[in-house]
Amino acid sequence: MPSRAAALDTFRDHIVSTGSAFLRNVRWTPNVTCRTCTGIPNPGYADCYKCHGRAGSAGLADTLGFMTYAWPDSQAGRTMRAYKANGAASYELVSSLLTYAVAAHWDCIATRTGSHPDAWAYVPSLAGRNGQHPLARIASGVLGRIPHVQVTANNYDDDARAFNASHFTAPPTTASHVLLLDDTWTTGGHLQSASAALKAQGVLRITGLVIARWLDPSWSTTKTFISELAQDFDPTLCPYTGTPC
Ligand SMILES: [Zn+2]
Ligand SMILES: [Zn+2]
């Protein structure tokens, strides 16, 4: 179980004081945002184009949560890039976002799915990058003694964002419910492929938790949606439902 306690309030206050002015909670609004990934579908559709195309495939995540939207040339977008480079303030903010979301909404996972995760994993960067992924460093702090399942990225020739379990390798594991973390969801191909790789090893349930749902404002529907995201970020809203929990 993640370490909870009074430290949680410190993370929440840090998010509010340094990020709430430019981060934006995702919306779970039927027929306005994708019911799977909170992206923007074509008008009148329940799922975005990518989720619609993968629907029904074996290995997909069972439950997904998202913290904030981000898009090109936004401060949220710059934060998601800088936290992996050497932006100390961005790293601290992303660290607080992930730590708070994992710990404060830990029981929400069991409420929605019937069980708490018994292991965690993260979606690794594409093959060839060295060093510990910052997501792994942050997550190992909050997830404490919960076992980590190390997913690795493979080299492949097809579209890196395609849904394909062979893009990743997961080791044999006895875990039945894995919390799968990712920093940015653009098309969802990475997280869903990693989910399928874990399920191929016998994992029964995947709960995905993503820091930023990336939006593409070159689509006019999305551009309008972004322009109407006026509300400051509230970390207490549930990443799995968009409502208080
Ligand atoms: Zn979607
Ligand atoms: Zn919650």
Side-chain angles (χ1 to χ4, degrees):
M1 181 153 188
S3 49
R4 308 170 64 92
L8 266 186
D9 291 349
T10 309
F11 290 111
R12 183 199 60 206
D13 293 347
H14 178 241
I15 296 164
V16 169
S17 63
T18 64
S20 282
F22 62 87
L23 300 172
R24 294 291 179 263
N25 293 90
V26 302
R27 307 271 175 86
W28 293 97
T29 311
N31 298 312
V32 174
T33 62
C34 175
R35 62 184 166 181
T36 303
C37 77
T38 73
I40 311 304
N42 286 318
Y45 285 82
D47 293 295
C48 72
Y49 180 74
K50 293 291 182 185
C51 290
H52 181 76
R54 289 189 294 257
S57 303
L60 298 177
D62 302 278
T63 303
L64 288 165
F66 298 85
M67 295 166 215
T68 182
Y69 287 118
W71 57 93
D73 299 322
S74 67
Q75 197 168 346
R78 285 191 289 275
T79 298
M80 294 313 297
R81 291 211 169 93
Y83 103 96
K84 283 198 271 204
N86 46 22
S90 296
Y91 179 85
E92 293 303 325
L93 175 55
V94 169
S95 180
S96 290
L97 276 171
L98 183 67
T99 301
Y100 186 84
V102 167
H105 301 285
W106 181 250
D107 289 339
C108 305
I109 299 173
T111 301
R112 290 182 69 76
T113 71
S115 67
H116 286 109
D118 57 1
W120 68 276
Y122 66 92
V123 180
S125 303
L126 301 185
R129 276 199 205 160
N130 297 317
Q132 188 185 31
H133 194 294
L135 206 56
R137 191 166 5 134
I138 298 165
S140 58
V142 61
L143 284 157
R145 288 179 220 150
I146 293 175
H148 172 218
V149 179
Q150 182 76 54
V151 175
T152 53
N154 299 323
N155 288 304
Y156 42 80
D157 297 327
D158 64 334
D159 177 4
R161 288 185 172 155
F163 172 59
N164 186 340
S166 68
H167 287 175
F168 297 96
T169 297
T173 175
T174 56
S176 61
H177 182 177
V178 173
L179 176 64
L180 179 57
L181 306 170
D182 200 1
D183 48 21
T184 305
W185 171 297
T186 303
T187 68
H190 290 156
L191 188 146
Q192 295 289 29
S193 297
S195 171
L198 284 160
K199 287 194 169 182
Q201 294 293 347
V203 175
L204 299 175
R205 178 170 288 281
I206 299 289
T207 295
L209 181 59
V210 180
I211 298 166
R213 176 59 174 93
W214 196 262
L215 297 177
D216 178 3
S218 67
W219 296 93
S220 65
T221 308
T222 303
K223 188 175 182 184
T224 303
F225 178 83
I226 289 171
S227 72
E228 293 167 353
L229 288 173
Q231 195 114 17
D232 280 4
F233 182 78
D234 178 353
T236 68
L237 296 181
C238 190
Y240 304 102
T241 63
T243 57
C245 51

